[in-house]
Amino acid sequence: MVIDSNLKIEALSSLFGQNLQPYDKTRCGVTACILSVQQFHLHNLILKLNAYVKESFIDEEEFFDPKYDYDFTNVSDSAQCVRGEEIYVRPKGWYRIALKVKGKYPDGDTWLGTDGWRSHTVPGEWPVSYHGTHVDRAKGIIRSHYRAGNGAEHGRGIYSTPDIHVAEAERYAKTFTSQTTGKMYKVILQNRINPEKRQICKRSDYWLIPVREGTSAEEEKQIVEASIRPYGILIKEVNDDAAHLAGGVSDLLISAFKKMF
């Protein structure tokens, strides 16, 4: 799969829910809102971005880390890996756009493990999880499963899954049509999750970061940053048949949810 700068920005914009622009210091003023990885993640999970910000820019050199990009399109399913004492099934069929997260957190980079291919885990490494968003942020569907909010099935908090097939099949992947290529793609965030903060739900392919009722905005921010961190955007091309089927499933889910209210 070929991923150029324009497609990276489009994938990021689809997750963020706003048309992001590449930052050009010769054209953009010094007061421009330049989005950091941490701001992007907080907004994606708990909508912690100032409402008055109407236009955001991406400094690609500071946001993306292309040396850690990886094409999983044709990888074998036979290679078993472990990350943070949990089985890590590599996301076959997807391409990872790496985010620049090294050196961005005060507790260092141990949570990422060591560089390069390996099947084993290393001390202090966090397990891998996935989460996404939905085209219209359907009321309750995403809030209950991937954002702090009331009414979640297993408790209040932020949900993700160690199984990318769950994230994709249950329509938590965002789908968009690229203006650059004219093709349709799905996108999902690849994270590391703090095993000391995570709860494994009764449904074992759902992981929960608890956020108790009444938690302040600042506390919620601290919980997110200490518990679940993105390090890649996964993107996959969708063919016409798959897109049609996914759209039908999405409509059924939203219709069924609305009938509950």
Side-chain angles (χ1 to χ4, degrees), residues 144-175:
S144 294
H145 291 90
Y146 291 113
R147 247 187 239 144
N150 294 318
E153 182 180 356
H154 300 283
R156 186 180 192 276
I158 298 166
Y159 287 79
S160 63
T161 175
D163 188 344
I164 193 169
H165 301 297
V166 171
E168 178 182 13
E170 298 196 3
R171 290 295 294 153
Y172 298 124
K174 176 69 168 67
T175 304

Side-chain angles (χ1 to χ4, degrees), residues 88-99:
Y88 166 48
V89 180
R90 296 191 297 169
K92 182 179 180 180
W94 299 76
Y95 184 100
R96 181 173 65 218
I97 302 168
L99 304 179

Side-chain angles (χ1 to χ4, degrees), residues 42 46 48 214-224:
L42 286 170
I46 53 178
K48 297 300 181 186
T215 300
S216 70
E218 182 57 30
E219 286 178 308
E220 199 168 74
K221 174 179 177 291
Q222 291 173 2
I223 289 170
V224 170

Side-chain angles (χ1 to χ4, degrees), residues 2 12 41 72 85 97 115 131 138 145 150 161 174 186 206 210 256:
V2 178
L12 189 64
H41 189 46
F72 294 98
E85 307 301 334
I97 302 168
D115 295 346
H131 80 268
H145 291 90
N150 294 318
T161 175
K174 176 69 168 67
K186 288 184 178 182
Y206 273 63

